[in-house]
Amino acid sequence: MGLAVGSLVRARIVLASLLVLSATVPASSQITGAWLTDVRDGVVDIRSCGGGLVCGYIVSILKDYGRGAAVRDELNENAKLRSRPICGLPTLGKLKQLGPNTWGEGWVYDPKRGKTFSVEVTLSRPGTLSVRGYKGVKMLGQTVVWTRAAPNLPKCK
């Protein structure tokens, strides 16, 4: 009887330790890091941007679509922003965690269309991120799937 009680106490201690350790790892760390876009033409680095929010920035351009090394935000709806470089461009902003694997209430910018949309991001499984952009009605939006980027992909300057 004493052996079973001792095992039960040890099991509770291990469980409590695991709960404490899991509580100290920020949930946003699940999506932080480099993500290869759906058409595999660029890499977005998702990281904390303060206040418990996460943001994403273009850190690699893998296909320039014939526009050369100095790819600019030429399609932006705002003419004043069309000269800014794509490299380093904020493409995800102010995402807050809504659930265990979901972030939203922020925005996503698509430089290929020059448009900004509301966004919901879901970690569907490790290494796969569903990015749903929409205007107004989430159900009418479009979802693309990003995958974890290899660490050896070239970074833009």
Side-chain angles (χ1 to χ4, degrees), residues 33-35 42-47 56-62 86-89 91 149 153-157:
W35 294 90
V43 176
V44 174
D45 181 41
I46 298 177
R47 58 185 181 254
Y57 305 88
I58 296 173
V59 295
S60 184
I61 300 170
L62 304 174
I86 295 289
C87 185
L89 190 72
T91 192
L153 288 175
K155 301 285 189 244
C156 54
K157 295 177 170 82

Side-chain angles (χ1 to χ4, degrees), residues 26-100:
S28 63
S29 68
Q30 298 172 43
I31 66 167
T32 56
W35 294 90
L36 189 60
T37 61
D38 59 313
V39 293
R40 308 177 73 74
D41 62 353
V43 176
V44 174
D45 181 41
I46 298 177
R47 58 185 181 254
S48 171
C49 53
L53 303 174
V54 292
C55 298
Y57 305 88
I58 296 173
V59 295
S60 184
I61 300 170
L62 304 174
K63 185 174 181 184
D64 66 14
Y65 298 97
R67 297 190 320 203
V71 180
R72 303 277 173 196
D73 191 16
E74 298 165 352
L75 302 176
N76 197 302
E77 292 178 313
N78 182 342
K80 293 178 183 176
L81 299 177
R82 291 181 185 156
S83 63
R84 66 184 181 168
I86 295 289
C87 185
L89 190 72
T91 192
L92 282 173
K94 299 183 180 179
L95 293 171
K96 73 177 190 178
Q97 187 152 15
L98 303 176

Side-chain angles (χ1 to χ4, degrees), residues 92-119:
L92 282 173
K94 299 183 180 179
L95 293 171
K96 73 177 190 178
Q97 187 152 15
L98 303 176
N101 296 314
T102 305
W103 292 259
E105 298 183 12
W107 53 266
V108 61
Y109 175 71
D110 181 355
K112 284 182 248 160
R113 294 166 65 185
K115 297 185 182 296
T116 301
F117 302 91
S118 296
V119 70

